[in-house]
Amino acid sequence: MKVLFVYPRFDRHAESHPELRRWVPMNEYLGSPSLGIASLAAVTPAHWEIEMRDDRLAPADAPTDADLVALSFFTPAATRALELADRFRAMGKRVVAGGIFPTMMPAAVAPHVDAVVIGEGEPVWHEVLADAERAAAGTGALRPVYGPVFADLATLPPPRVDLYIDGERPGVFEPDDYPLQVSRGCPLACVACALPKTMGKKMRAFPLAHVKAQAMALAARGKRACLTEDTGWLPGTAGWRRMGELFDALADGSAGLPAGQRAAISYVGISMPMILASPTSFLERAKAAGVDMFYLVGGFDPITTRAFTGKDPDALAKAYVAVRRALDHGIEPYTSFLLGNEDDDAGTVDRMLDFADRSGIRKAEFAIFTPYPGTPSWHRLVGEDRILTREWRLYNDANVVFRPARMSPDELLAGYLRLWREFYVDRGHLAALPIAERTIQF
Ligand code: B12
Ligand code: SF4
């Protein structure tokens, strides 16, 4: 038996807006796929042969001898995923879908596939494969829906990230870092976040030895780890303590590795309130573990949602201090500015650019607020009849898919494009970046 895992393509910022390439001429960061496929491959029984196709590198719908096609996708990739599902079914293949979008919108996916997996894949994957075997033998069938079941993280083998690194990528930029998961679930409920619903509200941690082993395996291939934890590991919580333990475990992560190799974390996601609440010693431990960049997520927290509205000088002052603290610890704050929150108006763009200039941010990305299906903001905007399109490929943070509160959709889009252009071209931040760092994800 053979399973073909497919990672469907999605539009990055410059694919939605080619003019960005003209203004911001640098490498286009092609991040690793999510760990979803690697996690399922790790629990696939040995008698199943595995093939993986990354549709971002080459169209994935070439004919296949696989018995089962397994699609893994989040919202930006959903349009292409459903198109691929239709093509594979037209070839007579059985198709199963999983990931964030199928979890949130199973009814939209179901007509295109034989089975939808809701939530985490590992606990039901054996059942899916066994049903696929029975279906192939004519003695059974796939069920339309599997899950949701939360996995016991202590029982999971390390994800097969090797599938992503050793895949054939002729002429394609291969990232320097690959995702590493420390925990699943988040107790918070940020308006635009999918995670508490897809992975649960309780934070569950992987055993430290498991996480460290993965970082070491990446290091043996010359790669660093970037953590999948977004911003849920708040100071003082169990997740935060686990993060500190991981930093310490990696502070001398060279044991047993070839000379010059070191297990290290390249960046972690963090928010401004988290930086402010972290003691100095914690930031030092992060730096010692190799963290030289924070992916500073904005737009979800009480500081960045208020700092650029022009109405909250206190929030703005805190934002300056947060960036300063990162810089003081030698950690580059790669700042993600989210435009289109409810209180943002036409002046927000100038306020963001001014802040970026004065605070010393040299590396930034700009995103348009996007109400991802199933998140609290999605439910609110659907209720207020403010969703403008359900064309899922436009849900990639580079398009306006809802009616903003204090701007027109055109003003919001123009503001987003102006942020990229003025930050990188007119203000010369690109020139200020060392060559090796000129890989902005856009
Ligand atoms: C690595 C990462 C990326 C990578 C890879 C993309 C991807 N597909 O995830 C890159 C860097 C490319 C990326 C980009 C973006 N990302 Co991103 N990213 C992540 C991150 C940090 C980790 C993903 C991961 O590895 N998770 C761990 C794995 C194990 O989880 P999983 O993929 O959900 O898989 C499990 C289940 O879903 C299921 N499953 C998955 N696939 C399948 C398939 C089958 C067949 C089955 C049975 C089960 C199954 O089983 C798996 C194991 O239990 C997540 C946050 C997170 N913690 O998940 C955000 C996240 C996925 N990203 C998100 C977003 C919004 C984006 C962007 C659009 C915007 C942005 N600013 O980040 C951009 C794209 C921008 C652009 N236009 O270029 C959102 C998704 C929102 C949504 N509802 O879809 C997330 C959830 C962040 C958040 N908190 O909102 N991202
Ligand atoms: S954005 Fe971060 S803190 Fe907020 S709900 Fe999502 S994972 Fe939790």
Side-chain angles (χ1 to χ4, degrees):
M1 298 294 286
K2 178 172 172 181
V3 56
L4 169 65
F5 287 111
V6 178
Y7 188 65
R9 62 165 307 207
F10 56 91
D11 284 352
R12 288 172 290 153
H13 293 261
E15 284 151 347
S16 287
H17 306 288
E19 61 267 48
L20 284 177
R21 270 193 203 108
R22 229 173 39 237
W23 299 333
V24 192
M26 59 181 107
N27 291 341
E28 281 189 62
Y29 179 71
L30 191 86
S32 151
S34 106
L35 278 180
I37 290 174
S39 305
L40 291 177
V43 294
T44 300
H47 67 280
W48 277 81
E49 193 191 330
I50 292 176
E51 184 188 341
M52 180 191 161
R53 292 184 189 168
D54 187 338
D55 187 46
R56 301 173 304 169
L57 309 184
D61 48 357
T64 173
D65 59 355
D67 302 282
L68 181 68
V69 176
L71 299 167
S72 170
F73 53 102
F74 66 161
T75 306
T79 303
R80 173 66 175 161
L82 300 183
E83 187 182 298
L84 287 172
D86 293 343
R87 298 237 174 110
F88 282 116
R89 285 181 100 198
M91 294 177 205
K93 299 294 167 189
R94 289 189 181 82
V95 178
V96 53
I100 296 176
F101 187 82
T103 295
M104 294 302 211
M105 301 294 272
V109 176
H112 302 267
V113 300
D114 297 284
V116 181
V117 173
I118 297 180
E120 294 174 29
E122 298 95 333
V124 298
W125 189 230
H126 278 257
E127 219 180 322
V128 172
L129 294 181
D131 287 348
E133 285 176 30
R134 281 191 279 274
T139 57
L142 283 164
R143 292 208 315 266
V145 177
Y146 295 82
V149 182
F150 291 122
D152 174 358
L153 302 192
T155 64
L156 297 184
R160 291 264 325 269
V161 184
D162 57 288
L163 279 181
Y164 302 166
I165 301 177
D166 294 338
E168 286 188 6
R169 298 166 165 246
V172 170
F173 175 71
E174 190 177 285
D176 296 329
D177 42 30
Y178 286 82
L180 171 63
Q181 196 161 39
V182 178
S183 62
R184 289 187 185 173
C186 178
L188 303 186
C190 299
V191 290
C193 184
L195 295 183
K197 201 152 170 204
T198 58
M199 297 269 176
K201 288 192 81 65
K202 184 167 183 285
M203 187 176 273
R204 293 160 290 143
F206 280 95
L208 188 59
H210 171 109
V211 181
K212 189 176 175 192
Q214 284 176 67
M216 299 294 279
L218 284 171
R221 292 169 182 273
K223 304 292 183 191
R224 292 195 293 170
C226 52
L227 302 187
T228 66
E229 279 50 45
D230 254 26
T231 46
W233 50 283
L234 297 179
T237 63
W240 183 77
R241 281 190 291 279
R242 169 52 53 91
M243 201 63 90
E245 285 164 16
L246 178 63
F247 291 156
D248 294 346
L250 296 186
D252 179 22
S254 54
L257 293 172
Q261 306 274 53
R262 178 185 170 205
I265 299 168
S266 57
Y267 68 85
V268 289
I270 200 165
S271 65
M272 290 189 183
M274 288 165 72
I275 296 182
L276 294 179
S278 294
T280 295
S281 59
F282 189 81
L283 300 176
E284 287 167 356
R285 287 157 79 196
K287 181 72 183 170
V291 176
D292 51 22
M293 187 168 91
F294 281 148
Y295 180 48
L296 186 46
V297 182
F300 283 18
D301 62 87
I303 296 182
T304 53
T305 45
R306 291 182 199 146
F308 312 118
T309 59
K311 294 178 202 139
D312 193 338
D314 191 42
L316 185 60
K318 285 182 179 150
Y320 278 108
V321 177
V323 169
R324 191 68 254 157
R325 282 202 88 199
L327 291 171
D328 285 347
H329 287 82
I331 301 177
E332 175 90 51
Y334 175 15
T335 310
S336 181
F337 288 91
L338 188 70
L339 184 67
N341 271 310
E342 291 298 84
D343 288 329
D344 288 350
D345 59 22
T348 299
V349 169
D350 284 321
R351 289 179 210 114
M352 283 179 171
L353 286 167
D354 186 56
F355 171 76
D357 270 356
R358 290 172 194 267
S359 60
I361 290 170
R362 288 188 307 160
K363 206 169 173 178
E365 83 175 359
F366 303 98
I368 296 176
F369 180 89
T370 304
Y372 287 100
T375 59
S377 63
W378 166 263
H379 292 299
R380 187 168 54 77
L381 292 172
V382 167
E384 294 171 3
D385 198 20
R386 288 169 61 193
I387 297 293
L388 297 175
T389 174
R390 289 175 194 232
E391 176 84 56
W392 307 120
R393 70 184 177 82
L394 299 177
Y395 283 65
N396 69 342
D397 284 16
N399 294 285
V400 182
V401 299
F402 74 108
R403 201 168 328 104
R406 292 165 205 275
M407 281 180 260
S408 70
D410 286 348
E411 275 175 321
L412 176 51
L413 182 64
Y416 152 86
L417 290 171
R418 189 156 82 81
L419 282 166
W420 278 104
R421 190 186 62 234
E422 291 203 13
F423 182 78
Y424 280 112
V425 184
D426 299 351
R427 290 162 201 244
H429 286 86
L430 178 59
L433 283 176
I435 301 277
E437 286 178 32
R438 294 185 190 180
T439 50
I440 300 292
Q441 180 196 331
F442 71 90

